[in-house]
Amino acid sequence: ISACLVGSEMCIRDRFMTVQMAIFNMPDIDMENVEEVQARLNEFFALYTAHDMKPTVAGMALCLNGMSRQTLRAIATDAPTGGAGYKTALPPEVAATIKKAYKLMENLWETYMTGGKVNPVAGIFLGKNNYGYQDKTEYVLTPNQQNDSDYSADEIRERYIAADQQKRLSQGGEDEDSSNE
């Protein structure tokens, strides 16, 4: 929608930009202080709610002192954050607060997906990238015969080598391809 709606409703473009500017202007917090982290996460959810927008993982990460969504996911899943992440471990109560908020985001994602609030293709993409969901098909191959010794070398030869080649090989002749070497 390119034109803003008349009245008290804010244009979608303006809502999105207003939320981004609010996140950009959030002052840094002490990431080792559980009360400050919890207050910031509440501020994040309230900001998106006030503008009638679905909260995002990237937005949550940005409101936590501008971290990346990959660092946020690493904290939430107890994975190493790497050189670009936090040099020291967060206090357990801070990490637990971040994990809880992240799980709440996953719950929101599931609710939106099952409630028809998100385009399914976009939702699947977000689930894979933000929460580790996978499309996975496993194939179990089982041989038709239970025992490898059920086939003799002659039976295998008959199955896979053409009849005219078998005749040449049994007469001691060479295969056409091997004579060109």
Side-chain angles (χ1 to χ4, degrees), residues 12-42:
I12 291 173
R13 179 188 64 233
D14 292 346
R15 280 190 299 153
F16 289 174
M17 189 55 69
T18 299
V19 168
Q20 300 314 306
M21 290 174 10
I23 291 173
F24 180 78
N25 290 313
M26 288 178 172
D28 284 352
I29 59 172
D30 179 1
M31 289 297 293
E32 295 190 0
N33 182 318
V34 69
E35 288 84 17
E36 286 187 37
V37 171
Q38 189 168 19
R40 176 55 57 85
L41 291 168
N42 283 323

Side-chain angles (χ1 to χ4, degrees), residues 10-175:
M10 190 183 297
C11 162
I12 291 173
R13 179 188 64 233
D14 292 346
R15 280 190 299 153
F16 289 174
M17 189 55 69
T18 299
V19 168
Q20 300 314 306
M21 290 174 10
I23 291 173
F24 180 78
N25 290 313
M26 288 178 172
D28 284 352
I29 59 172
D30 179 1
M31 289 297 293
E32 295 190 0
N33 182 318
V34 69
E35 288 84 17
E36 286 187 37
V37 171
Q38 189 168 19
R40 176 55 57 85
L41 291 168
N42 283 323
E43 182 181 0
F44 161 77
F45 286 116
L47 175 65
Y48 276 81
T49 301
H51 292 282
D52 194 28
M53 292 172 54
K54 294 171 182 65
T56 66
V57 171
M60 179 186 285
L62 284 170
C63 85
L64 294 172
N65 293 356
M67 75 171 65
S68 70
R69 71 175 181 79
Q70 291 87 350
T71 300
L72 175 62
R73 186 164 194 276
I75 292 167
T77 60
D78 295 322
T81 56
Y86 286 89
K87 305 279 187 268
T88 59
L90 293 170
E93 60 275 3
V94 170
T97 299
I98 292 171
K99 289 175 187 181
K100 186 175 183 179
Y102 190 83
K103 288 176 185 175
L104 181 92
M105 291 286 291
E106 183 176 3
N107 184 45
L108 279 169
W109 170 77
E110 285 185 21
T111 303
Y112 294 145
M113 287 294 290
T114 59
K117 303 289 185 191
V118 174
N119 175 303
V121 174
I124 291 167
F125 177 82
L126 292 171
K128 289 177 180 181
N129 283 294
N130 292 330
Y131 306 112
Y133 287 76
Q134 306 176 23
D135 284 330
K136 194 173 188 178
T137 303
E138 293 185 22
Y139 296 96
V140 177
L141 300 177
T142 56
N144 289 335
Q145 301 291 328
Q146 295 297 329
N147 191 349
D148 290 341
S149 64
D150 289 347
Y151 292 106
S152 69
D154 290 334
E155 287 174 325
I156 293 172
R157 214 176 278 116
E158 285 178 27
R159 267 184 142 171
Y160 296 105
I161 300 176
D164 61 331
Q165 287 181 341
Q166 281 185 37
K167 186 176 180 183
R168 258 196 331 254
L169 290 173
S170 65
Q171 293 172 352
E174 292 183 3
D175 190 15

